[in-house]
Amino acid sequence: MAQVDVFSLAAAITALLLAAGLLIAYAINRNLTSFGWWAGAFALLALSLATVTMRLGVPAVWVKWLSWGSFYAATCLVAYGLHRSGDTRANPLARMVAGGVLFVAIATALTVLNAAPHYWMLFGPIPVLVFMVWSAALVFRAGSWGYGLTMVFGIVAIAIRSIFHPGGFSRLLNPPPPPPPVLRGGFAPASNPGAGIPLQQPPPTARGLFDLAPPPGPRPPVEHALTITLITLAALLVLAIALVLRNVMAELNRMRERSTTDAMTGLLNRVTFEEAAALRLGETGLRPVCAILFDIDHFKRINDTAGHAAGDQVIARLGQLLREMSLTHGISARIGGEEFAVILAGSDLAAARLYAEAIRSGLSSADFGDAVGWGVTMSAGIAIHQPGETLHGLMGRADEALYAAKAAGRDRVVVASDATAAAHRPGRAANRVASG
C-alpha cells in the first residue's frame, strides 16, 4: 500500500492547478508561448512532488527514479521553453544533456549501492542545482538580472530543502536510534506470547512545527516536513509567478506597441502621433515647435512598376532614417501610406530645415538594388507653431508647404512661409492624390 506525505500531496495538487491555469491562459492567447512550456513543467513538478516521499509496501527504486527524473525534466522544460520563446539567448540543450548524464550516474550509483531514502533526498537534487547554477551564470552574463536573481532564490531554496529535510542531510548526521531490545519469553500486554516485552520504553518526544528531526521508531512514518515543504513550494511559486508576470508584461508591452506603432516602420501611428504631438505643444512654453511632413515622390509609380514589395522597402528605409536621426525632443510617425510626420520641439525653422534636408538626401542616396530602377526622392513641408495655434492648424500649414514642394517639382523642402498662393489652390487634396 502506498504512503504519501500529506504536504507533498498538497504541493503536487497546487502544481497541477498552476499547470491547468497556465494551459488555459495559453489556449486563450497563443502568443503566450512560454505558458505552454510552463504548464508542462508544472505537471512534471506535480509528479515529482507526489512521489518524492512515497513509500510502497515493497522496495521500489523506480519511484525514486521517477520522482527525481521528473524534477530534473521540469527544470529542463522551463529552460528550453524560455529559449524557444526568445526570453533567453543561450541554447540549453548542451546543459540539459550534461545534467541528464549526471542524473543517470547519481541515480545508478544510489540504486547499485541500495542507498537509503535519505541519500536520495540529499543527492537527488544535485543535477537540478548544477543545471540551474550553470544557467544562472549565463543569464547574469547576458544582463538579465531579474531572471538571474529569481533563479538564485530557487537554487537556495532547493539546497535548503535538500540539506535540512528530515529525510536528507539531517537524517544522515542524526540517524534514528536502533529499536530497544526485547525480553524473549514474556507476554506482551496484548497477550501475544511471541511479541516480547521491551526492557525500556522510549520516552515520548515533544514535537513542534519547526522540529526537523525524523519521527522516532524503527520504521518511521512518512516525514511531515511542513516547514521545509512550504519553503520549497513558496520558492517554486515565487519563481513561477515572477517569470509568468514577466511574460505577461512583455506580451502587454507588445500589444501596446502594436496598437500605438506602425508595424512596418516602428514609428508611431497617426492616432498616437496626434495625442503625443498635442501634449508636446502644451509643454513647450516659449520654445519653438516645428512640424514637418514628408511624402515619397511618385510612390504610386513605385508600387505599379516595381511592385508593392519594393514600395514597402522604400517605406521601411524612410522609417529607418527617421528613427536613426530622431532628436531628443522629436516625435516621428507614419500617418499615411507614404506620408510621414515629425514634431521638433525646441527647433526653429533653420534647424528644422537642416533636419528635413538630411532626411531627404538620405533617402535619395539610398540604394534599393534592382527593386527600384530609378532614384527615389521625396518632398517635405515645414511649419513653425504660432502662438495660440492648434495642432490641426499647424499640421494644415505644413501640409500646404508640402503641396507647394510637390507643385514646384518635388525632391525639395519648402517652409510654410514660402508656400504662398500655390498652397491654397482649390482641389489641392485631389491634385496631390493624382500627382503622387
Side-chain angles (χ1 to χ4, degrees), residues 285-309:
L286 299 178
R287 291 186 303 166
V289 178
C290 289
I292 308 175
L293 284 178
F294 298 97
D295 192 276
I296 301 172
D297 297 329
H298 301 294
F299 186 73
K300 186 175 185 300
R301 177 189 172 194
I302 296 175
N303 279 337
D304 293 343
T305 305
H308 289 277

PDB file of all heavy atoms in Angstrom, residues 285-309:
ATOM      1  N   GLY A 285       5.905  75.672 -23.924  1.00  0.00           N
ATOM      2  CA  GLY A 285       6.016  77.028 -23.396  1.00  0.00           C
ATOM      3  C   GLY A 285       6.424  78.009 -24.485  1.00  0.00           C
ATOM      4  O   GLY A 285       5.771  78.143 -25.520  1.00  0.00           O
ATOM      5  N   LEU A 286       7.545  78.717 -24.266  1.00  0.00           N
ATOM      6  CA  LEU A 286       8.025  79.703 -25.231  1.00  0.00           C
ATOM      7  C   LEU A 286       8.985  79.112 -26.252  1.00  0.00           C
ATOM      8  O   LEU A 286       9.466  79.826 -27.132  1.00  0.00           O
ATOM      9  CB  LEU A 286       8.715  80.857 -24.478  1.00  0.00           C
ATOM     10  CG  LEU A 286       7.811  81.637 -23.505  1.00  0.00           C
ATOM     11  CD1 LEU A 286       8.630  82.712 -22.795  1.00  0.00           C
ATOM     12  CD2 LEU A 286       6.620  82.266 -24.235  1.00  0.00           C
ATOM     13  N   ARG A 287       9.317  77.848 -26.133  1.00  0.00           N
ATOM     14  CA  ARG A 287      10.253  77.256 -27.089  1.00  0.00           C
ATOM     15  C   ARG A 287       9.574  77.064 -28.439  1.00  0.00           C
ATOM     16  O   ARG A 287       8.374  76.755 -28.497  1.00  0.00           O
ATOM     17  CB  ARG A 287      10.746  75.901 -26.576  1.00  0.00           C
ATOM     18  CG  ARG A 287      11.647  75.995 -25.353  1.00  0.00           C
ATOM     19  CD  ARG A 287      12.196  74.620 -25.019  1.00  0.00           C
ATOM     20  NE  ARG A 287      11.137  73.652 -24.786  1.00  0.00           N
ATOM     21  CZ  ARG A 287      11.326  72.335 -24.738  1.00  0.00           C
ATOM     22  NH1 ARG A 287      12.546  71.842 -24.930  1.00  0.00           N
ATOM     23  NH2 ARG A 287      10.320  71.518 -24.512  1.00  0.00           N
ATOM     24  N   PRO A 288      10.339  77.199 -29.522  1.00  0.00           N
ATOM     25  CA  PRO A 288       9.729  76.994 -30.852  1.00  0.00           C
ATOM     26  C   PRO A 288       9.423  75.525 -31.099  1.00  0.00           C
ATOM     27  O   PRO A 288      10.115  74.626 -30.594  1.00  0.00           O
ATOM     28  CB  PRO A 288      10.813  77.500 -31.807  1.00  0.00           C
ATOM     29  CG  PRO A 288      12.099  77.327 -31.056  1.00  0.00           C
ATOM     30  CD  PRO A 288      11.759  77.587 -29.608  1.00  0.00           C
ATOM     31  N   VAL A 289       8.394  75.276 -31.859  1.00  0.00           N
ATOM     32  CA  VAL A 289       7.996  73.922 -32.250  1.00  0.00           C
ATOM     33  C   VAL A 289       7.732  73.927 -33.747  1.00  0.00           C
ATOM     34  O   VAL A 289       6.989  74.779 -34.249  1.00  0.00           O
ATOM     35  CB  VAL A 289       6.746  73.447 -31.492  1.00  0.00           C
ATOM     36  CG1 VAL A 289       6.349  72.049 -31.960  1.00  0.00           C
ATOM     37  CG2 VAL A 289       6.971  73.451 -29.998  1.00  0.00           C
ATOM     38  N   CYS A 290       8.340  72.982 -34.435  1.00  0.00           N
ATOM     39  CA  CYS A 290       8.149  72.878 -35.887  1.00  0.00           C
ATOM     40  C   CYS A 290       7.526  71.538 -36.241  1.00  0.00           C
ATOM     41  O   CYS A 290       7.815  70.510 -35.601  1.00  0.00           O
ATOM     42  CB  CYS A 290       9.486  73.028 -36.625  1.00  0.00           C
ATOM     43  SG  CYS A 290      10.154  74.706 -36.592  1.00  0.00           S
ATOM     44  N   ALA A 291       6.678  71.568 -37.241  1.00  0.00           N
ATOM     45  CA  ALA A 291       6.078  70.344 -37.784  1.00  0.00           C
ATOM     46  C   ALA A 291       6.612  70.129 -39.192  1.00  0.00           C
ATOM     47  O   ALA A 291       6.695  71.076 -39.989  1.00  0.00           O
ATOM     48  CB  ALA A 291       4.563  70.445 -37.790  1.00  0.00           C
ATOM     49  N   ILE A 292       6.974  68.883 -39.500  1.00  0.00           N
ATOM     50  CA  ILE A 292       7.494  68.535 -40.826  1.00  0.00           C
ATOM     51  C   ILE A 292       6.664  67.380 -41.373  1.00  0.00           C
ATOM     52  O   ILE A 292       6.435  66.382 -40.674  1.00  0.00           O
ATOM     53  CB  ILE A 292       8.972  68.112 -40.764  1.00  0.00           C
ATOM     54  CG1 ILE A 292       9.810  69.155 -40.024  1.00  0.00           C
ATOM     55  CG2 ILE A 292       9.525  67.891 -42.164  1.00  0.00           C
ATOM     56  CD1 ILE A 292      11.254  68.722 -39.829  1.00  0.00           C
ATOM     57  N   LEU A 293       6.237  67.517 -42.610  1.00  0.00           N
ATOM     58  CA  LEU A 293       5.543  66.442 -43.317  1.00  0.00           C
ATOM     59  C   LEU A 293       6.410  65.982 -44.484  1.00  0.00           C
ATOM     60  O   LEU A 293       6.903  66.804 -45.265  1.00  0.00           O
ATOM     61  CB  LEU A 293       4.185  66.916 -43.838  1.00  0.00           C
ATOM     62  CG  LEU A 293       3.060  67.043 -42.810  1.00  0.00           C
ATOM     63  CD1 LEU A 293       1.798  67.578 -43.475  1.00  0.00           C
ATOM     64  CD2 LEU A 293       2.778  65.709 -42.146  1.00  0.00           C
ATOM     65  N   PHE A 294       6.616  64.660 -44.567  1.00  0.00           N
ATOM     66  CA  PHE A 294       7.381  64.052 -45.658  1.00  0.00           C
ATOM     67  C   PHE A 294       6.439  63.220 -46.510  1.00  0.00           C
ATOM     68  O   PHE A 294       5.544  62.543 -45.984  1.00  0.00           O
ATOM     69  CB  PHE A 294       8.498  63.147 -45.124  1.00  0.00           C
ATOM     70  CG  PHE A 294       9.538  63.855 -44.305  1.00  0.00           C
ATOM     71  CD1 PHE A 294       9.469  63.862 -42.924  1.00  0.00           C
ATOM     72  CD2 PHE A 294      10.600  64.512 -44.911  1.00  0.00           C
ATOM     73  CE1 PHE A 294      10.422  64.497 -42.166  1.00  0.00           C
ATOM     74  CE2 PHE A 294      11.564  65.153 -44.165  1.00  0.00           C
ATOM     75  CZ  PHE A 294      11.477  65.145 -42.784  1.00  0.00           C
ATOM     76  N   ASP A 295       6.658  63.245 -47.816  1.00  0.00           N
ATOM     77  CA  ASP A 295       5.852  62.437 -48.733  1.00  0.00           C
ATOM     78  C   ASP A 295       6.762  61.919 -49.845  1.00  0.00           C
ATOM     79  O   ASP A 295       7.477  62.700 -50.489  1.00  0.00           O
ATOM     80  CB  ASP A 295       4.709  63.263 -49.331  1.00  0.00           C
ATOM     81  CG  ASP A 295       3.705  62.387 -50.054  1.00  0.00           C
ATOM     82  OD1 ASP A 295       3.946  62.072 -51.240  1.00  0.00           O
ATOM     83  OD2 ASP A 295       2.704  62.005 -49.434  1.00  0.00           O
ATOM     84  N   ILE A 296       6.748  60.599 -50.061  1.00  0.00           N
ATOM     85  CA  ILE A 296       7.597  59.982 -51.084  1.00  0.00           C
ATOM     86  C   ILE A 296       7.055  60.337 -52.463  1.00  0.00           C
ATOM     87  O   ILE A 296       5.856  60.175 -52.743  1.00  0.00           O
ATOM     88  CB  ILE A 296       7.648  58.458 -50.899  1.00  0.00           C
ATOM     89  CG1 ILE A 296       8.196  58.121 -49.508  1.00  0.00           C
ATOM     90  CG2 ILE A 296       8.504  57.802 -51.979  1.00  0.00           C
ATOM     91  CD1 ILE A 296       8.106  56.659 -49.155  1.00  0.00           C
ATOM     92  N   ASP A 297       7.944  60.808 -53.329  1.00  0.00           N
ATOM     93  CA  ASP A 297       7.530  61.227 -54.675  1.00  0.00           C
ATOM     94  C   ASP A 297       7.230  60.013 -55.551  1.00  0.00           C
ATOM     95  O   ASP A 297       7.955  59.016 -55.537  1.00  0.00           O
ATOM     96  CB  ASP A 297       8.639  62.061 -55.328  1.00  0.00           C
ATOM     97  CG  ASP A 297       8.916  63.352 -54.572  1.00  0.00           C
ATOM     98  OD1 ASP A 297       7.975  63.891 -53.964  1.00  0.00           O
ATOM     99  OD2 ASP A 297      10.085  63.796 -54.565  1.00  0.00           O
ATOM    100  N   HIS A 298       6.152  60.136 -56.319  1.00  0.00           N
ATOM    101  CA  HIS A 298       5.750  59.114 -57.307  1.00  0.00           C
ATOM    102  C   HIS A 298       5.660  57.724 -56.658  1.00  0.00           C
ATOM    103  O   HIS A 298       6.081  56.714 -57.251  1.00  0.00           O
ATOM    104  CB  HIS A 298       6.744  59.068 -58.484  1.00  0.00           C
ATOM    105  CG  HIS A 298       6.872  60.372 -59.205  1.00  0.00           C
ATOM    106  ND1 HIS A 298       5.840  60.939 -59.914  1.00  0.00           N
ATOM    107  CD2 HIS A 298       7.940  61.222 -59.318  1.00  0.00           C
ATOM    108  CE1 HIS A 298       6.237  62.085 -60.442  1.00  0.00           C
ATOM    109  NE2 HIS A 298       7.509  62.286 -60.099  1.00  0.00           N
ATOM    110  N   PHE A 299       5.108  57.667 -55.470  1.00  0.00           N
ATOM    111  CA  PHE A 299       5.047  56.377 -54.784  1.00  0.00           C
ATOM    112  C   PHE A 299       4.116  55.396 -55.513  1.00  0.00           C
ATOM    113  O   PHE A 299       4.372  54.195 -55.533  1.00  0.00           O
ATOM    114  CB  PHE A 299       4.572  56.587 -53.345  1.00  0.00           C
ATOM    115  CG  PHE A 299       4.614  55.340 -52.511  1.00  0.00           C
ATOM    116  CD1 PHE A 299       5.823  54.818 -52.069  1.00  0.00           C
ATOM    117  CD2 PHE A 299       3.451  54.651 -52.182  1.00  0.00           C
ATOM    118  CE1 PHE A 299       5.879  53.663 -51.310  1.00  0.00           C
ATOM    119  CE2 PHE A 299       3.496  53.497 -51.425  1.00  0.00           C
ATOM    120  CZ  PHE A 299       4.709  52.999 -50.990  1.00  0.00           C
ATOM    121  N   LYS A 300       3.055  55.912 -56.106  1.00  0.00           N
ATOM    122  CA  LYS A 300       2.147  55.030 -56.854  1.00  0.00           C
ATOM    123  C   LYS A 300       2.878  54.375 -58.024  1.00  0.00           C
ATOM    124  O   LYS A 300       2.643  53.206 -58.344  1.00  0.00           O
ATOM    125  CB  LYS A 300       0.945  55.829 -57.345  1.00  0.00           C
ATOM    126  CG  LYS A 300      -0.140  54.984 -58.013  1.00  0.00           C
ATOM    127  CD  LYS A 300      -1.344  55.838 -58.356  1.00  0.00           C
ATOM    128  CE  LYS A 300      -2.471  54.973 -58.914  1.00  0.00           C
ATOM    129  NZ  LYS A 300      -2.094  54.254 -60.138  1.00  0.00           N
ATOM    130  N   ARG A 301       3.778  55.139 -58.643  1.00  0.00           N
ATOM    131  CA  ARG A 301       4.560  54.582 -59.751  1.00  0.00           C
ATOM    132  C   ARG A 301       5.474  53.456 -59.247  1.00  0.00           C
ATOM    133  O   ARG A 301       5.662  52.442 -59.946  1.00  0.00           O
ATOM    134  CB  ARG A 301       5.386  55.687 -60.392  1.00  0.00           C
ATOM    135  CG  ARG A 301       6.308  55.210 -61.507  1.00  0.00           C
ATOM    136  CD  ARG A 301       7.241  56.327 -61.938  1.00  0.00           C
ATOM    137  NE  ARG A 301       8.256  55.840 -62.870  1.00  0.00           N
ATOM    138  CZ  ARG A 301       9.351  56.513 -63.202  1.00  0.00           C
ATOM    139  NH1 ARG A 301       9.567  57.718 -62.680  1.00  0.00           N
ATOM    140  NH2 ARG A 301      10.224  56.013 -64.047  1.00  0.00           N
ATOM    141  N   ILE A 302       6.023  53.614 -58.041  1.00  0.00           N
ATOM    142  CA  ILE A 302       6.881  52.560 -57.475  1.00  0.00           C
ATOM    143  C   ILE A 302       6.082  51.285 -57.285  1.00  0.00           C
ATOM    144  O   ILE A 302       6.506  50.183 -57.669  1.00  0.00           O
ATOM    145  CB  ILE A 302       7.499  53.032 -56.150  1.00  0.00           C
ATOM    146  CG1 ILE A 302       8.420  54.229 -56.372  1.00  0.00           C
ATOM    147  CG2 ILE A 302       8.267  51.891 -55.477  1.00  0.00           C
ATOM    148  CD1 ILE A 302       8.973  54.818 -55.085  1.00  0.00           C
ATOM    149  N   ASN A 303       4.888  51.412 -56.724  1.00  0.00           N
ATOM    150  CA  ASN A 303       4.055  50.227 -56.499  1.00  0.00           C
ATOM    151  C   ASN A 303       3.615  49.586 -57.809  1.00  0.00           C
ATOM    152  O   ASN A 303       3.625  48.359 -57.946  1.00  0.00           O
ATOM    153  CB  ASN A 303       2.823  50.601 -55.673  1.00  0.00           C
ATOM    154  CG  ASN A 303       3.121  50.680 -54.185  1.00  0.00           C
ATOM    155  OD1 ASN A 303       4.075  50.077 -53.706  1.00  0.00           O
ATOM    156  ND2 ASN A 303       2.317  51.441 -53.466  1.00  0.00           N
ATOM    157  N   ASP A 304       3.224  50.418 -58.762  1.00  0.00           N
ATOM    158  CA  ASP A 304       2.699  49.884 -60.024  1.00  0.00           C
ATOM    159  C   ASP A 304       3.797  49.280 -60.894  1.00  0.00           C
ATOM    160  O   ASP A 304       3.567  48.297 -61.601  1.00  0.00           O
ATOM    161  CB  ASP A 304       1.979  50.988 -60.809  1.00  0.00           C
ATOM    162  CG  ASP A 304       0.717  51.462 -60.109  1.00  0.00           C
ATOM    163  OD1 ASP A 304       0.240  50.728 -59.216  1.00  0.00           O
ATOM    164  OD2 ASP A 304       0.233  52.563 -60.436  1.00  0.00           O
ATOM    165  N   THR A 305       4.998  49.868 -60.859  1.00  0.00           N
ATOM    166  CA  THR A 305       6.078  49.426 -61.743  1.00  0.00           C
ATOM    167  C   THR A 305       6.973  48.389 -61.086  1.00  0.00           C
ATOM    168  O   THR A 305       7.256  47.324 -61.666  1.00  0.00           O
ATOM    169  CB  THR A 305       6.930  50.627 -62.190  1.00  0.00           C
ATOM    170  OG1 THR A 305       6.083  51.612 -62.780  1.00  0.00           O
ATOM    171  CG2 THR A 305       8.001  50.199 -63.181  1.00  0.00           C
ATOM    172  N   ALA A 306       7.436  48.681 -59.877  1.00  0.00           N
ATOM    173  CA  ALA A 306       8.386  47.788 -59.205  1.00  0.00           C
ATOM    174  C   ALA A 306       7.697  46.786 -58.286  1.00  0.00           C
ATOM    175  O   ALA A 306       8.327  45.810 -57.861  1.00  0.00           O
ATOM    176  CB  ALA A 306       9.402  48.617 -58.403  1.00  0.00           C
ATOM    177  N   GLY A 307       6.443  47.026 -57.945  1.00  0.00           N
ATOM    178  CA  GLY A 307       5.733  46.092 -57.086  1.00  0.00           C
ATOM    179  C   GLY A 307       5.606  46.616 -55.654  1.00  0.00           C
ATOM    180  O   GLY A 307       6.359  47.501 -55.208  1.00  0.00           O
ATOM    181  N   HIS A 308       4.625  46.066 -54.938  1.00  0.00           N
ATOM    182  CA  HIS A 308       4.375  46.519 -53.568  1.00  0.00           C
ATOM    183  C   HIS A 308       5.519  46.160 -52.627  1.00  0.00           C
ATOM    184  O   HIS A 308       5.746  46.864 -51.639  1.00  0.00           O
ATOM    185  CB  HIS A 308       3.061  45.929 -53.058  1.00  0.00           C
ATOM    186  CG  HIS A 308       1.846  46.534 -53.716  1.00  0.00           C
ATOM    187  ND1 HIS A 308       1.301  47.729 -53.291  1.00  0.00           N
ATOM    188  CD2 HIS A 308       1.090  46.115 -54.762  1.00  0.00           C
ATOM    189  CE1 HIS A 308       0.252  48.022 -54.036  1.00  0.00           C
ATOM    190  NE2 HIS A 308       0.097  47.054 -54.936  1.00  0.00           N
ATOM    191  N   ALA A 309       6.238  45.080 -52.912  1.00  0.00           N
ATOM    192  CA  ALA A 309       7.378  44.732 -52.060  1.00  0.00           C
ATOM    193  C   ALA A 309       8.452  45.817 -52.127  1.00  0.00           C
ATOM    194  O   ALA A 309       9.059  46.182 -51.104  1.00  0.00           O
ATOM    195  CB  ALA A 309       7.966  43.385 -52.487  1.00  0.00           C
TER     196      ALA A 309
END
